[in-house]
């Protein structure tokens, strides 16, 4: 008998243009996992609306992310690609799990603390509840592994806690998911301030590279990336800027940090940076071309997300019905 494949779930929220961090921390690894696992890759639009979105931009970005998944090599035949809001079980499960979550554990989420600081006086309740929706995404599919960047680890820990709590209160309902963090690229840093993670919400545009940035912009941003006066390409915490550029180069080319150190031993930062920029361009340019083709083919995208939602809906409903039954809700 063929063994049942383990399940992977991951998602990206369409709240801004995607960065090289999203690509190296998430998507590039998904591509490698798709043969071995039963994968659900979602565009988590309901997560994006925890901060105000321009409706037309949200629509455009949602389809652009789906196109980026496809263009990066995620095969829609092998994987389930869908849009979160198309599977109502996510919202329903999220309410149910909200009733098993504590204010204390939620207020400890560092992403919430950071984002709420930026929101001024009126902090959205969605921002606070956001990790519960993420837990629902994961738990509904009886997920074994969640491939994410390091910044999502705390949210994943909460998903595990909620699953264990629910299982304990009732009986085993959810599988307990494990994080899957890539060896390199799990935390790409800001090019201008390498103590912070690269993020699309940063004000200084030179700090991040977008997946859709044209080659000349990539060259410019890398050449302006902060380095140091030490002048040696070395993987060291005393050289955070250089370390980050090495991580980027290594994640793209597969070179180890030692190999990079040896290759650039007697070379200056200018040459090193030039190679980093060209590696990024070589990786992203073919993807960008395909993204533009997919984005223009709305019918094709529709066929992908519709059949994805159908499959996801079937699987998610099974878990949701179990939850409802155990809680004591009358079956529909
Ligand atoms: P989001 O949309 O902020 O980011 C998507 C993925 O990209 C990774 N990432 C990075 N990796 C390395 N370096 C960086 N600088 C960097 N920036 C972002 C993130 O770790 C993530 O893997 N809450 C999630 C989305 C989500 C989700 C889920 C993920 C919702 N439901 C269920 C997994 C499973 C988020 O906001 O990711």
């Amino acid at each position: 008998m063929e063994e049942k494949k383990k399940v992977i779930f991951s998602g990206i929220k369409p709240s801004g243009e995607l960065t090289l961090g999203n690509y190296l921390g998430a998507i590039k690894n998904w591509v490698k996992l798709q043969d071995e696992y039963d994968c659900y890759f979602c565009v988590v639009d309901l997560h994006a609306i925890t901060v105000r979105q321009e409706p037309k931009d949200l629509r455009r970005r949602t389809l652009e992310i789906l196109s980026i998944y496809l263009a990066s090599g995620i095969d829609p035949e092998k994987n389930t690609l869908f849009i979160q809001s198309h599977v109502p079980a996510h919202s329903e499960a999220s309410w149910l799990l909200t009733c098993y979550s504590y204010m204390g554990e939620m207020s400890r989420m560092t992403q919430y603390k950071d984002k709420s600081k930026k929101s001024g006086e009126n902090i959205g309740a969605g921002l606070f509840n956001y990790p519960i929706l993420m837990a629902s995404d994961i738990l509904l599919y009886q997920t074994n592994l969640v491939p994410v960047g390091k910044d999502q680890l705390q949210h994943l820990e909460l998903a595990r806690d909620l699953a264990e709590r629910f299982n304990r209160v009732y009986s085993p309902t959810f599988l307990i998911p494990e994080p899957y963090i890539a060896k390199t690229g799990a935390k790409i840093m800001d090019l201008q301030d390498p103590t912070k993670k690269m993020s699309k919400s940063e004000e200084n545009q030179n700090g991040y590279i977008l997946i859709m940035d044209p080659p000349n912009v990539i060259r410019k941003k890398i050449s302006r990336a902060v380095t140091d006066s030490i002048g040696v390409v070395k993987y060291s915490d005393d050289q955070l800027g250089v370390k980050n550029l090495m991580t980027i180069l290594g994640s793209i080319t597969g070179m180890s940090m030692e190999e990079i150190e040896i290759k650039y031993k007697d070379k200056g930062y200018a040459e090193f940076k030039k190679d980093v920029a060209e590696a990024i361009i070589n990786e992203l340019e073919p993807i960008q071309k395909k993204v533009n083709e997919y984005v223009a083919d709305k019918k094709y995208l529709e066929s992908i997300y519709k059949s994805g939602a159908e499959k996801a809906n079937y699987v998610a409903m099974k878990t949701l019905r179990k939850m409802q039954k155990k809680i004591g809700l009358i079956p529909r």
Side-chain angles (χ1 to χ4, degrees), residues 263-280:
K263 179 161 180 197
Y264 295 96
K265 194 164 175 285
D266 299 312
K267 295 179 180 149
Y269 289 158
E271 189 172 341
F272 170 58
K273 281 181 162 183
K274 201 170 134 279
D275 288 358
V276 174
E278 292 316 308
I280 300 172

Side-chain angles (χ1 to χ4, degrees), residues 4-124:
K4 200 172 166 286
K5 283 185 176 172
K6 285 194 173 167
V7 175
I8 276 189
F9 185 100
S10 204
I12 297 183
K13 59 181 187 308
S15 54
E17 310 304 319
L18 297 202
T19 67
L20 186 65
N22 297 126
Y23 178 73
L24 295 177
I27 304 172
K28 194 170 163 68
N29 302 306
W30 302 353
V31 178
K32 295 179 200 151
L33 297 166
Q34 60 179 333
D35 290 320
E36 224 182 302
Y37 295 90
D38 182 12
C39 300
Y40 294 83
F41 296 125
C42 187
V43 184
V44 289
D45 54 350
L46 297 175
H47 277 95
I49 60 169
T50 50
V51 291
R52 200 67 70 240
Q53 300 293 331
E54 186 64 47
K56 71 173 185 342
D57 289 338
L58 180 60
R59 278 190 289 270
R60 177 182 59 76
R61 287 198 202 109
T62 300
L63 294 181
E64 187 174 279
I65 294 186
L66 184 65
S67 304
I68 290 175
Y69 290 177
L70 294 166
S72 304
I74 293 175
D75 181 347
E77 300 288 326
K78 284 190 206 148
N79 307 282
T80 309
L81 303 181
F82 69 106
I83 298 170
Q84 187 184 30
S85 62
H86 292 183
V87 181
H90 291 241
S91 308
E92 289 195 53
S94 181
W95 172 251
L96 299 182
L97 288 180
T98 298
C99 300
Y100 297 82
S101 309
Y102 303 131
M103 300 291 284
E105 62 192 349
M106 302 303 297
S107 12
R108 282 196 291 273
M109 296 289 125
T110 51
Q111 196 176 71
Y112 164 72
K113 287 195 267 188
D114 290 349
K115 291 207 172 167
S116 56
K117 258 187 232 142
K118 290 182 195 155
S119 327
E121 256 172 54
N122 288 320
I123 301 165

Side-chain angles (χ1 to χ4, degrees), residues 9-15 18-27 30 42 44 47 65 69 84 111 115 130-131 133-135 137-138 146-153 155-156 185-190 196-200:
F9 185 100
S10 204
I12 297 183
K13 59 181 187 308
S15 54
L18 297 202
T19 67
L20 186 65
N22 297 126
Y23 178 73
L24 295 177
I27 304 172
W30 302 353
C42 187
V44 289
H47 277 95
I65 294 186
Y69 290 177
Q84 187 184 30
Q111 196 176 71
K115 291 207 172 167
Y130 172 113
L133 179 60
M134 176 161 163
D137 298 342
I138 297 167
V146 185
V148 281
K150 275 193 191 142
D151 61 325
Q152 296 300 318
L153 275 177
H155 291 159
L156 198 66
K187 194 163 186 189
I188 302 296
M189 308 309 277
D190 188 284
K196 287 194 303 205
K197 83 163 183 185
M198 182 183 281
S199 161
K200 52 209 166 201

Side-chain angles (χ1 to χ4, degrees), residues 95-321:
W95 172 251
L96 299 182
L97 288 180
T98 298
C99 300
Y100 297 82
S101 309
Y102 303 131
M103 300 291 284
E105 62 192 349
M106 302 303 297
S107 12
R108 282 196 291 273
M109 296 289 125
T110 51
Q111 196 176 71
Y112 164 72
K113 287 195 267 188
D114 290 349
K115 291 207 172 167
S116 56
K117 258 187 232 142
K118 290 182 195 155
S119 327
E121 256 172 54
N122 288 320
I123 301 165
L127 217 50
F128 187 72
N129 282 324
Y130 172 113
I132 308 178
L133 179 60
M134 176 161 163
S136 311
D137 298 342
I138 297 167
L139 300 178
L140 279 172
Y141 297 89
Q142 304 296 344
T143 300
N144 298 92
L145 282 181
V146 185
V148 281
K150 275 193 191 142
D151 61 325
Q152 296 300 318
L153 275 177
Q154 198 188 25
H155 291 159
L156 198 66
E157 203 46 56
L158 180 84
R160 289 165 55 89
D161 288 347
L162 292 181
E164 278 165 3
R165 189 172 305 153
F166 195 95
N167 288 352
R168 212 170 34 244
V169 172
Y170 300 102
S171 55
T173 310
F174 302 118
L175 222 130
I176 311 298
E178 300 281 342
Y180 181 100
I181 307 284
K183 277 193 210 79
T184 50
K187 194 163 186 189
I188 302 296
M189 308 309 277
D190 188 284
L191 299 174
Q192 291 301 311
D193 177 0
T195 61
K196 287 194 303 205
K197 83 163 183 185
M198 182 183 281
S199 161
K200 52 209 166 201
S201 48
E202 252 347 287
E203 265 161 41
N204 187 348
Q205 295 187 5
N206 284 322
Y208 56 76
I209 287 178
L210 298 177
I211 294 184
M212 297 305 283
D213 269 345
N216 58 337
V217 173
I218 295 177
R219 284 191 193 103
K220 195 178 76 200
K221 287 180 178 174
I222 293 292
S223 77
R224 289 185 185 167
V226 164
T227 50
D228 49 66
S229 54
I230 298 173
V232 182
V233 176
K234 190 158 179 287
Y235 194 74
S236 151
D237 285 340
D238 299 330
Q239 296 175 258
L240 290 179
V242 170
K243 184 178 170 188
N244 188 39
L245 293 174
M246 289 177 73
T247 303
I248 293 174
L249 185 62
S251 320
I252 293 175
T253 60
M255 281 167 86
S256 70
M257 296 305 116
E258 297 76 51
E259 283 168 337
I260 296 176
E261 283 177 359
I262 293 167
K263 179 161 180 197
Y264 295 96
K265 194 164 175 285
D266 299 312
K267 295 179 180 149
Y269 289 158
E271 189 172 341
F272 170 58
K273 281 181 162 183
K274 201 170 134 279
D275 288 358
V276 174
E278 292 316 308
I280 300 172
I281 293 165
N282 278 338
E283 180 84 6
L284 294 184
E285 235 185 352
I287 295 177
Q288 294 170 351
K289 285 208 182 86
K290 287 191 207 146
V291 170
N292 291 330
E293 284 166 24
Y294 285 125
V295 164
D297 195 348
K298 296 265 183 308
K299 275 263 161 311
Y300 178 68
L301 291 180
E302 190 181 325
S303 73
I304 302 289
Y305 66 66
K306 282 205 163 158
S307 69
E310 209 173 302
K311 174 160 180 230
N313 201 49
Y314 177 81
V315 177
M317 277 310 291
K318 278 213 275 196
T319 304
L320 181 65
R321 277 195 297 269

